[in-house]
Amino acid sequence: MTSRRDLMKGGAMAAMAGAIPSSVPFADPALEQQISVVGTFWPDGVRMVVSISMQMEGGAQPSSGADSPMPKIDPKYPDLPASKCYDYGYKEGLPRLLEVFDRRKIKVTSHMVGAAVDLHPALAKEIVERGHEATGHGQTWTAQFSMTPEEERVSYQQSIESIERATGTRPLGFNAFWLRGTPHTLKILRSLGFIHHIDDVSRDEPFLINVGGKPFAVVPYTLHMNDIVDYETRYFSTAMYADDLKAEFDALYAEAGTRRRMMSVSAHDRIAGRPSRAMVLEQFIIYAQSHPGVAFKRKDEIARFALESPTTVREGI
């Protein structure tokens, strides 16, 4: 019996095969082979790393007041259509994105809200079984910056337990609500066994900071290559987002000949998981993979390398 996922996979592959070529002018990768690599900044001959974040959030949002394409409503009323927008993330978005990543044979990092994991444990487990990293993204949508240190610790511990219970893996990375942690966040994370966080957009490469007298990895996130910012704040079309992805990649790929470079891309379940947007993301992955020396890596892989490499940038260490 054919499963829904098999039908989705077959349909998506047919769509990709028959898709109208993008209007974005993709460069000939053969020309890029003329660029020589000066120095080795990543292992195994890798010139540049691309890291994709995939947020698992659907179902964890509050009943009213969560950001959505819908007009704002008085928060004393439940926002029913907005909730359905979030439901799309686990019903359609994540399954579609997982098929994209399988077809392109890449692994990503999934930032999971604990409450969403509790609602959809089988989906969280599937994400990990397909080889992707599960990281903490808070237990609920309560903003970390409003928490006391005790509330933070409880929230992160609950998130660890939710992810472990569903996936059998313990998260090593963390992403705060809109990147806004507290002065205590990193010390709490370190004490709970985390090795990296992404809530710092100040570099285009991983770096180390001092937390409790020991190095802690930062694997920078992105706001300008972020689907929620571009599609729902700046109202980009898919063509505009595709153009931005390509321009960012081309610039970093050129710089990667003389320094360590990493490109970060963000994909939220209910946003990048839409059909046309998922297709644009897949077209970008194909474009990036056509260049010599490009590797897609999970953030825990990047963090471990940064912690071991003597050439990693260190701040305050």
Side-chain angles (χ1 to χ4, degrees):
M1 181 175 180
T2 302
S3 69
R4 173 182 178 277
R5 187 151 289 151
D6 290 333
L7 290 170
M8 178 182 288
K9 184 174 183 179
M13 292 181 72
M16 285 298 296
I20 298 173
S22 170
S23 60
V24 179
F26 292 118
D28 181 356
L31 298 177
E32 301 291 351
Q33 296 181 20
Q34 300 173 13
I35 303 175
S36 61
V37 176
V38 181
T40 301
F41 308 106
W42 295 98
D44 304 321
V46 171
R47 176 188 178 99
M48 176 179 158
V49 164
V50 181
S51 184
I52 295 179
S53 293
M54 179 179 70
Q55 281 77 1
M56 180 179 179
E57 299 177 337
Q61 77 282 351
S63 62
S64 189
D67 290 335
S68 81
M70 306 301 299
K72 293 293 184 183
I73 188 174
D74 189 320
K76 70 182 180 181
Y77 302 113
D79 194 343
L80 300 180
S83 294
K84 294 305 177 182
C85 289
Y86 282 88
D87 287 354
Y88 188 93
Y90 66 83
K91 291 180 178 179
E92 300 281 0
L94 288 175
R96 180 175 288 115
L97 289 171
L98 288 174
E99 294 298 337
V100 167
F101 301 146
D102 273 3
R103 284 197 296 273
R104 304 278 63 93
K105 296 180 172 57
I106 68 171
K107 307 304 177 187
V108 307
T109 291
S110 182
H111 310 292
M112 299 180 173
V113 179
V117 173
D118 290 341
L119 287 171
H120 314 293
L123 182 55
K125 183 179 181 180
E126 180 181 354
I127 290 171
V128 169
E129 287 180 339
R130 290 192 184 213
H132 307 295
E133 176 192 10
T135 69
H137 194 22
Q139 181 63 14
T140 68
W141 272 40
T142 303
Q144 280 78 28
F145 65 80
S146 67
M147 295 181 177
T148 66
E150 293 75 21
E151 289 170 335
E152 270 198 275
R153 177 176 291 277
V154 169
S155 173
Y156 303 158
Q157 184 61 51
Q158 289 175 336
S159 174
I160 291 171
E161 293 170 0
S162 291
I163 292 172
E164 278 191 312
R165 187 165 52 246
T167 71
T169 63
R170 185 182 182 88
L172 299 176
F174 180 76
N175 173 209
F177 184 81
W178 272 111
L179 316 185
R180 290 178 171 136
T182 76
H184 310 283
T185 298
L186 297 184
K187 288 184 179 179
I188 295 171
L189 292 176
R190 152 91 53 203
S191 71
L192 291 173
F194 290 83
I195 67 169
H196 73 90
H197 84 123
I198 70 168
D199 302 327
D200 186 327
V201 296
S202 64
R203 292 187 183 274
D204 290 316
E205 62 183 296
F207 60 99
L208 304 180
I209 56 176
N210 186 344
V211 178
K214 296 180 181 180
F216 191 83
V218 181
V219 185
Y221 190 54
T222 179
L223 292 175
H224 66 296
M225 294 291 108
N226 190 310
D227 59 340
I228 194 171
V229 173
D230 285 344
Y231 284 130
E232 295 199 348
T233 302
R234 298 196 286 179
Y235 303 107
F236 272 20
S237 67
T238 52
M240 293 166 70
Y241 192 52
D243 194 35
D244 255 19
L245 287 170
K246 177 189 175 295
E248 181 84 353
F249 175 87
D250 288 347
L252 289 172
Y253 190 78
E255 292 180 4
T258 56
R259 59 191 303 191
R260 185 175 292 164
R261 299 285 80 179
M262 183 194 91
M263 179 175 175
S264 179
V265 180
S266 175
H268 288 73
D269 49 9
R270 64 198 178 277
I271 301 172
R274 298 280 171 177
S276 59
R277 295 169 181 176
M279 185 175 71
V280 162
L281 181 59
E282 185 164 9
Q283 289 173 338
F284 165 72
I285 295 168
I286 293 169
Y287 176 70
Q289 289 177 327
S290 72
H291 292 67
V294 172
F296 283 76
K297 291 187 177 292
R298 299 167 21 153
K299 288 175 172 59
D300 57 340
E301 296 175 305
I302 297 170
R304 287 192 176 97
F305 168 72
L307 288 164
E308 295 171 359
S309 172
T311 61
T312 299
V313 173
R314 286 160 164 78
E315 294 186 355
I317 298 178

